[in-house]
Each structure stands twice: as C-alpha cells, then as structure tokens.
Amino acid sequence: MTQKVLKITLIPVAPQDEFDYLVDSVKDYIGKDVIRILDGYSARYIHDVPWDGKFLVDPKFYLYRVTIGAIGRLKTCDDAIRLGIMKAIPAQSNQFTSTSLYYVYRVARQARRMFLYLQKLEKGMNATISGKSPNTRMLELINEGKE
C-alpha cells in the first residue's frame, strides 16, 4: 500500500516560538562550558554604562554608541546570541569584549540563516506537493519514446 505525502514539516516550532528555539539551539550547539568560560572572562570587564539586554530593542543605535565608547561592549554569550539571531544587525568584533564572543554572534547569524532557508524549503516543498503553485520551478521531465 502506498502513502501519499500531503505536507512536509521541517520547522519543529510554532512561529511565535522561533526566537527562543533558535537561542536554545545555538546554546546547545556551543555548549555550556564555552558559555561559562566566556561569561567568566567577560565578567572582569567594567564600564560606567554597561551593555544591557534592553538595548536589543534598538541595537543599531546602541551598537553605534558602543563604537564611540558611550556604552560598554557586549560581554555575555546570551546577548551575543540574541543579537545574532535578530535580523540585519551588523556588528563588528570591536563591539564585543572578546573575539570569541564575536564568533558566537556569527554562529547565531548562521543558525538564523539556516532556519530561514529551512522555512523557504518547507514552503516550496509544500507548494510542490499540493500542486497549487505553478511558480515552484520544478523541472518537468518528459521521457519521449523511452518507455
């Protein structure tokens, strides 16, 4: 007996839980030891106006302020991961207390990109399976005389 595939699901979470899922997956990928070591190293960094999580509401403005020295650099893995998962927020390595935190930010950016491509793949495959969208760009193969 054959079964027809009606829907493909590649994303394991609801749309409202995507951000938290990405944060948790990056933390799992990096590992608790790395997070503990980086946060411990950065705890020694002291600034009059330290970076705060509430700055993630408008990160471009506050990252500029970090660059000019008005605000302290990002010093926790959690902030670096959250900044990396947000969309279209460019950051430089001098805005973090260590280059390792910058790499954590880059890993989070890559995880976000992979997640977005998985969403596009899921949407395209479901459109192909349903046959409702003619714009799925699936090559139609015609076997002429080869039966």
Side-chain angles (χ1 to χ4, degrees), residues 26-113:
V26 171
K27 284 182 179 179
D28 290 342
Y29 188 73
I30 291 172
K32 292 181 172 112
D33 292 335
V34 172
I35 293 172
R36 181 180 48 80
I37 290 169
L38 287 176
D39 288 347
Y41 171 79
S42 297
R44 297 182 293 177
Y45 174 73
I46 298 172
H47 194 275
D48 294 338
V49 183
W51 178 271
D52 194 1
K54 65 183 177 186
F55 295 160
L56 291 174
V57 173
D58 187 14
K60 284 186 181 181
F61 173 73
Y62 289 108
L63 284 174
Y64 169 74
R65 304 226 5 169
V66 168
T67 303
I68 63 173
I71 295 175
R73 300 174 184 204
L74 281 91
K75 64 180 190 174
T76 63
C77 284
D78 191 51
D79 288 338
I81 291 170
R82 290 183 184 281
L83 183 67
I85 292 174
M86 298 178 81
K87 56 183 172 183
I89 307 297
Q92 301 166 352
S93 60
N94 62 352
Q95 295 168 333
F96 298 86
T97 55
S98 67
T99 53
S100 298
L101 276 177
Y102 175 70
Y103 295 140
V104 168
Y105 158 79
R106 297 298 300 170
V107 167
R109 289 286 294 245
Q110 292 299 322
R112 180 180 178 277
R113 284 192 182 119

Side-chain angles (χ1 to χ4, degrees), residues 117-136:
Y117 283 124
L118 280 175
Q119 282 180 330
K120 289 179 181 182
L121 176 63
E122 179 181 309
K123 184 178 178 183
M125 290 306 299
N126 286 328
T128 301
I129 289 171
S130 68
K132 293 180 181 176
S133 177
N135 297 325
T136 56

